[in-house]
Amino acid sequence: MHIRMSFHTRGFSAQEAPIPDIKIINPETLGKPLGQYSQMTRVKASEFLFIAGQLATDKAGNVVGAEDFDAQCVQVFANIEAALKAAGAGWSNVVQFTTYMVHSQDIPKFMKFRLREFPRMFSNGVYPPNTLLMIDRLVGEPFLIEVQTVAAL
Amino acid sequence: MHIRMSFHTRGFSAQEAPIPDIKIINPETLGKPLGQYSQMTRVKASEFLFIAGQLATDKAGNVVGAEDFDAQCVQVFANIEAALKAAGAGWSNVVQFTTYMVHSQDIPKFMKFRLREFPRMFSNGVYPPNTLLMIDRLVGEPFLIEVQTVAAL
Amino acid sequence: MHIRMSFHTRGFSAQEAPIPDIKIINPETLGKPLGQYSQMTRVKASEFLFIAGQLATDKAGNVVGAEDFDAQCVQVFANIEAALKAAGAGWSNVVQFTTYMVHSQDIPKFMKFRLREFPRMFSNGVYPPNTLLMIDRLVGEPFLIEVQTVAAL
């Protein structure tokens, strides 16, 4: 039996928005995800949103939470939410996350952040696929996390 | 002259599956790929599959092949295949791979793995585009390779 | 007010090419991009192009600009352009870039390259989303930059 959730979300405007069919799936033939993410998304949609990797910056471009990983997570996901909302979308439209972090020591903090915030953000309890990668550095030294998002409308 | 291969694969279920048109292309204006991959995919499909980066874990979440790069490759691609099959798809549905490795010393082993396994997996001899990146670390210290996949249905 | 640009580009051949609707958007709720990129793309298209990460190689597979970051940028984007053209597309079809670099010291050079070249490449002055990541290494030691591209037709 697959753990499968299907839901529909309304797109941007009435005339151009067929309803996307987003199924987030954890096949039983794969291991249970070890965190707040799922194994895959199957999506049938007429429109896609490609959001540039978001960092912990405010509207003026200043770093938020320079040495505070959790504060950076809050800001990064606030920025992604702003991008989604600007397209009339929300968290349920996300089909893929790719998360880049600078310090592996922050992995437990990232798990904790998602455990605390994702149930509120993804109210159906179904989390998009995520790929978690530790890299050398982001565009500026103070940045600890960057998240790239694809969504469907 | 382009090296171009076009093939059609059947989707998940009869009523919702138009046939995706997946063309894997190596334009002559670009260099010949240096390994078992192609330069690009052109795809016309009604559905996409975004598979979270797969690691060498078994169904219980245990690491497979802790210090054995080749064993990890086998497990990673077995997991991707399980994900594809759960959506009624197969290797011919893949439109993009992104491969993350921890040690550049493993690159020749990755080449060897693909030379050995890809001809069987991709029976038409046409391999999807891949981007190969060396990064600091994956989610756990023992993991040596992770592969993120996009497929079309 | 959003900074929003919408444009249409012709696809590959008359009979199979509906016009893609590519909107590149900088929502005012997000910070102004700090370089030659935008915050997101909203795209309605019947076809997508997934281009393998491009390196500074010539048609014979030789490295171009071994210790010259700017020369590598020129070659990488020439290769991407060749891939786009092989599908009857161009820069205005790009919906996402992901840029991998090896040395953070090259970031100012990358900014400079884009400031110089992007206005010519993207003649409407609207640049696709980009995610900029510093990683350990690319497939070969001499490579300093790799760019992965998704386009819509």
Side-chain angles (χ1 to χ4, degrees):
Chain A
M1 195 194 72
H2 296 170
I3 304 159
R4 173 183 289 215
M5 296 282 313
S6 180
F7 47 90
H8 296 89
T9 46
R10 293 227 154 259
F12 188 58
S13 74
Q15 81 272 24
E16 60 175 292
I19 295 166
D21 182 7
I22 298 173
K23 291 186 187 77
I24 291 183
I25 304 169
N26 285 309
E28 63 160 2
T29 47
L30 284 175
K32 212 173 130 249
L34 303 169
Q36 269 38 57
Y37 67 91
S38 300
Q39 294 286 15
M40 66 175 173
T41 301
R42 179 175 183 161
V43 55
K44 189 174 197 167
S46 63
E47 290 186 84
F48 285 91
L49 215 57
F50 293 89
I51 304 174
Q54 292 297 310
L55 296 159
T57 46
D58 63 17
K59 282 181 57 175
N62 301 311
V63 182
V64 173
E67 293 178 17
D68 182 341
F69 181 80
D70 190 73
Q72 293 208 12
C73 286
V74 169
Q75 186 64 33
V76 161
F77 284 91
N79 287 348
I80 296 169
E81 190 170 28
L84 292 167
K85 282 194 175 164
W91 292 116
S92 62
N93 294 88
V94 173
V95 300
Q96 186 191 53
F97 284 134
T98 307
T99 302
Y100 305 93
M101 285 167 48
V102 171
H103 302 130
S104 59
Q105 297 87 331
D106 289 333
I107 297 178
K109 296 182 201 168
F110 183 54
M111 299 298 181
K112 220 168 129 187
F113 168 81
R114 293 190 298 182
L115 269 172
R116 189 184 74 221
E117 299 295 335
F118 272 25
R120 184 189 54 78
M121 291 156 59
F122 301 90
S123 53
N124 58 2
V126 178
Y127 310 125
N130 181 49
T131 301
L132 182 56
L133 307 160
M134 303 297 123
I135 66 171
D136 260 19
R137 222 195 78 157
L138 298 168
V139 66
E141 202 60 49
F143 296 115
L144 303 171
I145 179 168
E146 178 157 7
V147 181
Q148 202 180 19
T149 306
V150 182
L153 300 177
Chain B
M1 194 195 72
H2 296 170
I3 304 159
R4 173 184 289 214
M5 295 282 313
S6 180
F7 47 90
H8 295 90
T9 48
R10 293 231 153 256
F12 187 59
S13 75
Q15 80 271 22
E16 61 174 292
I19 295 167
D21 182 7
I22 298 174
K23 291 186 187 77
I24 292 182
I25 305 168
N26 286 310
E28 64 159 4
T29 46
L30 283 176
K32 212 174 130 245
L34 304 170
Q36 270 37 57
Y37 68 91
S38 300
Q39 294 287 12
M40 66 174 174
T41 301
R42 180 176 183 161
V43 55
K44 189 175 196 164
S46 63
E47 290 187 83
F48 285 92
L49 215 57
F50 293 89
I51 305 174
Q54 293 296 310
L55 296 159
T57 46
D58 63 17
K59 280 181 57 175
N62 300 311
V63 182
V64 173
E67 291 178 18
D68 182 341
F69 181 81
D70 190 73
Q72 292 209 12
C73 286
V74 169
Q75 186 64 33
V76 161
F77 283 92
N79 287 348
I80 296 169
E81 190 169 27
L84 291 166
K85 281 192 176 165
W91 292 116
S92 63
N93 294 90
V94 173
V95 300
Q96 186 191 51
F97 284 134
T98 308
T99 301
Y100 305 94
M101 285 168 49
V102 171
H103 302 129
S104 59
Q105 297 87 334
D106 290 333
I107 296 178
K109 297 182 198 167
F110 183 54
M111 299 298 181
K112 221 169 131 187
F113 168 81
R114 293 190 297 182
L115 268 172
R116 189 183 75 222
E117 299 295 336
F118 272 25
R120 183 189 55 77
M121 292 156 56
F122 300 90
S123 54
N124 58 3
V126 179
Y127 309 127
N130 181 49
T131 302
L132 182 56
L133 307 161
M134 303 297 124
I135 66 169
D136 260 19
R137 222 194 80 156
L138 298 168
V139 65
E141 202 62 47
F143 297 116
L144 303 171
I145 179 168
E146 178 157 5
V147 181
Q148 202 181 20
T149 306
V150 181
L153 301 175
Chain C
M1 194 193 74
H2 296 169
I3 303 158
R4 172 183 289 213
M5 295 283 312
S6 180
F7 46 90
H8 296 90
T9 47
R10 293 227 153 258
F12 188 58
S13 75
Q15 80 271 25
E16 61 175 291
I19 295 166
D21 181 7
I22 298 173
K23 290 186 188 75
I24 291 182
I25 305 169
N26 286 310
E28 64 160 4
T29 46
L30 283 175
K32 214 174 128 246
L34 304 169
Q36 270 37 57
Y37 68 91
S38 300
Q39 293 287 13
M40 66 175 174
T41 301
R42 179 176 184 161
V43 55
K44 189 174 197 167
S46 62
E47 291 186 84
F48 286 91
L49 217 55
F50 293 88
I51 305 174
Q54 293 297 311
L55 295 159
T57 46
D58 63 18
K59 281 181 58 175
N62 300 312
V63 182
V64 174
E67 293 178 16
D68 181 342
F69 181 81
D70 191 72
Q72 292 209 11
C73 286
V74 169
Q75 187 64 32
V76 161
F77 284 91
N79 287 348
I80 296 169
E81 189 169 28
L84 291 167
K85 282 193 175 165
W91 292 116
S92 63
N93 294 90
V94 173
V95 300
Q96 186 191 51
F97 285 133
T98 309
T99 302
Y100 305 94
M101 286 168 48
V102 171
H103 302 129
S104 58
Q105 296 87 334
D106 290 333
I107 297 177
K109 296 183 200 166
F110 182 54
M111 299 298 181
K112 220 168 129 187
F113 168 81
R114 294 191 298 184
L115 268 173
R116 189 185 73 222
E117 298 295 335
F118 272 26
R120 183 189 54 79
M121 292 156 58
F122 301 91
S123 54
N124 58 3
V126 178
Y127 310 125
N130 181 49
T131 301
L132 182 56
L133 306 160
M134 303 297 122
I135 66 170
D136 259 20
R137 221 195 79 157
L138 297 167
V139 66
E141 202 60 48
F143 296 115
L144 303 171
I145 179 169
E146 176 157 8
V147 181
Q148 202 180 21
T149 306
V150 182
L153 301 175

